Amino acid sequence: YVHLQKSNELESIENIIFDLGGVLIDIDYQATKKAFEALGIIDFDLHYSQLNQTSLFNDFEKGLISSQHFINKLMDIMPKGVTPNQIVAAWNAMLGKFPSGKIELLKKIKTNYRIFMLSNTNAIHLSPVIKAWNEVSEHKMTDLFEQVYLSFEIGQRKPDTEVFQWVCHQNNLTPEKTLFIDDSPQHIEGAKNAGLKTHFYTNEKDFYALFS
């Protein structure tokens, strides 16, 4: 019965848009929190919330501010003696590996579907993400996906309904024939509002079962 449900999820689907962090690459936000705490930020969550309200993270993910500006803003809350390189390392600490099984799966899926990536990310995360990808794949990320859309490059981010509409428009995708896979409930809602079919990623097992 479960498999019936799963295959139904892909019925009439022609295109699949994948999120990056938490769906394809392992992410551990706690690792970044711990790394900043190790640099002397006792209440990282509080600072993160305050900086979030000033839209620092959103602006960085939309490419509205430079990496340098972002680092400088974080330097302001750091104890004396912390270097920009330490901040970059702490910020990147959340990035894990790409499970090789997921890369293999993408290769298979690519033969039956048009596949895309849509990620909220930032300029500092890009090179470690590419490095992690290259460790497990002989194909470039841009070779495997028809298009890779990164928020800081396109100046838009999820969960805005517009970004989903824009991706569909750019590639002539019919929203109801397009499946969007993400691990953030608010992003799933944004995609639904744009008329896309969605799969809320909660664990690897269900994700693989979707395509089995």
Side-chain angles (χ1 to χ4, degrees), residues 118 149 154 156 161-171:
L118 175 60
Y149 293 111
I154 61 174
Q156 306 179 68
T161 305
E162 292 75 24
V163 74
F164 297 103
Q165 292 168 332
W166 181 81
V167 168
C168 287
H169 183 68
Q170 289 285 313
N171 300 284

Side-chain angles (χ1 to χ4, degrees), residues 135-149:
E135 278 167 15
V136 292
S137 174
E138 73 279 15
H139 299 281
K140 278 198 197 128
M141 195 184 277
T142 45
D143 291 342
L144 212 46
F145 293 93
E146 195 173 318
Q147 294 288 343
V148 173
Y149 293 111

Side-chain angles (χ1 to χ4, degrees), residues 122-185:
N122 58 80
I124 293 176
H125 279 168
L126 185 59
S127 59
V129 164
I130 300 286
K131 186 169 175 284
W133 175 277
N134 291 339
E135 278 167 15
V136 292
S137 174
E138 73 279 15
H139 299 281
K140 278 198 197 128
M141 195 184 277
T142 45
D143 291 342
L144 212 46
F145 293 93
E146 195 173 318
Q147 294 288 343
V148 173
Y149 293 111
L150 309 177
S151 60
F152 78 97
E153 291 180 340
I154 61 174
Q156 306 179 68
R157 68 195 287 280
K158 304 174 288 189
D160 298 346
T161 305
E162 292 75 24
V163 74
F164 297 103
Q165 292 168 332
W166 181 81
V167 168
C168 287
H169 183 68
Q170 289 285 313
N171 300 284
N172 293 325
L173 309 181
T174 306
E176 47 276 13
K177 292 185 177 176
T178 304
L179 180 70
F180 172 66
I181 302 174
D182 200 296
D183 64 331
S184 298

Side-chain angles (χ1 to χ4, degrees), residues 82-152:
V82 172
T83 68
N85 283 350
Q86 286 175 306
I87 288 180
V88 169
W91 180 240
N92 286 339
M94 67 177 80
L95 300 169
K97 294 188 178 321
F98 283 95
S100 56
K102 288 185 175 173
I103 307 290
E104 291 308 310
L105 182 66
L106 288 170
K107 281 195 233 168
K108 282 192 195 127
I109 296 168
K110 188 179 164 61
T111 58
N112 295 317
Y113 303 94
R114 295 176 67 190
I115 66 170
F116 302 85
M117 183 193 289
L118 175 60
S119 170
N120 283 0
T121 190
N122 58 80
I124 293 176
H125 279 168
L126 185 59
S127 59
V129 164
I130 300 286
K131 186 169 175 284
W133 175 277
N134 291 339
E135 278 167 15
V136 292
S137 174
E138 73 279 15
H139 299 281
K140 278 198 197 128
M141 195 184 277
T142 45
D143 291 342
L144 212 46
F145 293 93
E146 195 173 318
Q147 294 288 343
V148 173
Y149 293 111
L150 309 177
S151 60
F152 78 97

Side-chain angles (χ1 to χ4, degrees), residues 39-41 75 77-82:
L39 293 177
I41 294 294
M75 289 288 279
I77 63 168
M78 289 293 172
K80 284 216 176 344
V82 172

